[in-house]
Amino acid sequence: MNKEDFTPMGVQKKLVAFYAQDELTRQVQIDYLQKDFRAAIKASFYLAPDQEEWFDMLDDTFIFVLSRQLAVTLTLELPVHLVKPEKPASGTTVLGVKRGDSHNPIYTSAGAGEKPLAEGEFIFTITY
């Protein structure tokens, strides 16, 4: 697995490569993401030491929710975006997740035996 920079462009490169894989390979990676989100992210992206430390200190419940939301997004093959401005010299880092233009959930529908149709996106926002 090739690592990418933890930037909006790096996330898009990973997403394109992820969706180009067969369904079984994607599902194995989604399962790994849900079992050990921190390790999956570190295996996928280059993180600076302070980013790794910050990431490791995030609340476990938040990581659980985040990993499940991302897993649903990837399973339904929806867009994922990272919004990450340049970090200032000092300040606090805040991480949040936004679904859609107005914080909407992912909407799905399917008939019996049909693949689900879905709309929405996963927006991962880091602010300082």
Side-chain angles (χ1 to χ4, degrees), residues 12-51:
Q12 289 312 302
K13 286 180 182 179
K14 285 304 274 185
L15 194 62
V16 168
F18 177 81
Y19 287 145
Q21 300 174 108
D22 63 82
E23 189 172 344
L24 180 59
T25 303
R26 288 193 312 264
Q27 191 57 53
V28 167
Q29 292 178 0
I30 290 169
D31 290 347
Y32 176 49
L33 186 74
Q34 289 184 291
K35 288 178 185 163
D36 196 343
F37 184 75
R38 289 178 177 95
I41 295 298
K42 290 175 188 179
S44 297
F45 297 99
Y46 295 110
L47 300 175
D50 63 327
Q51 290 175 318

Side-chain angles (χ1 to χ4, degrees), residues 2 9-10 13 17 19 24 48 60-63 66 69-70 74-75 78 84-85 94 102 107-109 111 117:
N2 293 333
M9 181 62 76
K13 286 180 182 179
Y19 287 145
L24 180 59
D60 288 339
T61 302
F62 178 78
I63 291 293
L66 185 64
Q69 290 181 352
L70 185 55
L74 295 173
T75 299
L78 295 170
K84 182 183 172 214
V94 177
S102 36
Y107 296 102
T108 60
S109 64
L117 298 174

Side-chain angles (χ1 to χ4, degrees), residues 82-103:
L82 173 65
V83 177
K84 182 183 172 214
E86 290 300 316
K87 186 175 179 180
S90 64
T92 303
T93 302
V94 177
L95 181 131
V97 177
K98 175 178 138 176
R99 289 231 183 253
D101 291 335
S102 36
H103 304 270

Side-chain angles (χ1 to χ4, degrees), residues 6 25 53 77 101:
F6 190 58
T25 303
E53 182 181 330
E77 300 179 32
D101 291 335

